[in-house]
Amino acid sequence: MILTLSCPDRHGIVAAVSAFLLEREANISDAQQFGDALSGYFFMRVVFEPAEGDVEAALRDGFAPLAQRFEMDWTLRGPEPRKVMILTSRFDHCLADLLYRWRIDELPMQVTAIVSNHPRDMIGHVDLGDLPFHHLPMSGDKAAQEARLLALIEETGTELVVLARYMQILSDELSARLAGRCINIHHSFLPGFKGAKPYHQAHARGVKVIGATAHYVTADLDEGPIIEQDVERISHRDAPADLIRKGRDIERRVLARAVSHHLHDRVLMHDGKTIVFAD
C-alpha cells in the first residue's frame, strides 16, 4: 500500500507515521520525505506491506486521528491499478507508447477508453485491440462535446485522464472538474513557439535545445503544475524533419514518466507546483 501526505512541517511527523505502521506490524519497504523551508510544508510517501488480514478501511480509520492531529492532506491506496482514459487526435506516437508500456505491465493502469475528436481510422496505425473507442467530434458545440466527455469519464469511473497529443483546449469548467487528475504533454522550447508548425519555427530561429513538458491541466493554458520535463540538444545540421522526429521521442518518454509517477502516487501538489518522489 502507498501512503502520501503533506502538512505544515513540525517535529514528530515521521516518528508518528512510523509508530502507527509499527503498531500494526506493517513492513515499510520505501519511504521518502521532504521538508520545504520556503513554504514550511512537509511531504512524505511511504510504501508498506500491511500485516496479514489488515484491510484498507481499517487502516484509514486508524490513521484518521493522527492525520487530523498534524493537519494532513493524505491519501492511502492499495495496489489496484488506476482507471485511465486516453484522449488523442491524429498524432499517435504518445498513444502507441502508453499502450505498449501498459501491455508489458510497465504502467499499472486499467484503460477505460480511448477518446478522439477524429474517427478511429485517422489516428495512425495504433492497435487498439478490444479497448473501447469513442469518437467525440468537435462539431462547433464545444460545451456539448465536453459534456459527453465528462459523462463518459464519470460512467467509467476514470481516475486519470491523459491528453496524449489531444489537439483541443479544454474549457475552464472542464479543467476545473479534472483538477489534479488530467495530464497533458506539449513541446517546450527556449524560447517558446506557439501556433502552427512549432518545430519549423524553432528551426528557423536556430534553436539549440528542444524539449517536452508534462503537466497537470489547469485553466491557464500549458501553465499547470509540472510533473516531468526533458530536453535534447540539436544543431544546425538538423532539418525540421529531424526536430519533429526527435521531438516525438522526447514527448512520449516524458509523458510516460509523468503518467507513471502519477500512477505510483509519486506526485504531491502544493501551492501551484509539484513535489515528485521519483524512483
Side-chain angles (χ1 to χ4, degrees), residues 219-238:
D220 297 318
L221 181 63
D222 293 341
E223 295 184 12
I226 294 170
I227 307 170
E228 183 63 62
Q229 293 179 297
D230 204 352
V231 297
E232 185 169 330
R233 293 197 63 83
I234 59 173
S235 75
H236 58 276
R237 301 179 186 277
D238 291 303

Side-chain angles (χ1 to χ4, degrees), residues 93-136:
H93 55 287
C94 288
L95 172 63
D97 186 70
L98 290 174
L99 294 183
Y100 171 74
R101 294 175 189 269
W102 164 64
R103 283 170 173 145
I104 64 171
D105 295 325
E106 185 177 316
L107 292 177
M109 61 185 184
Q110 175 186 341
V111 181
T112 59
I114 308 297
V115 177
S116 179
N117 57 314
H118 294 287
R120 181 167 181 160
D121 59 0
M122 293 182 63
I123 58 171
H125 306 286
V126 183
D127 179 13
L128 300 183
D130 296 328
L131 292 173
F133 177 83
H134 299 270
H135 176 212
L136 300 183

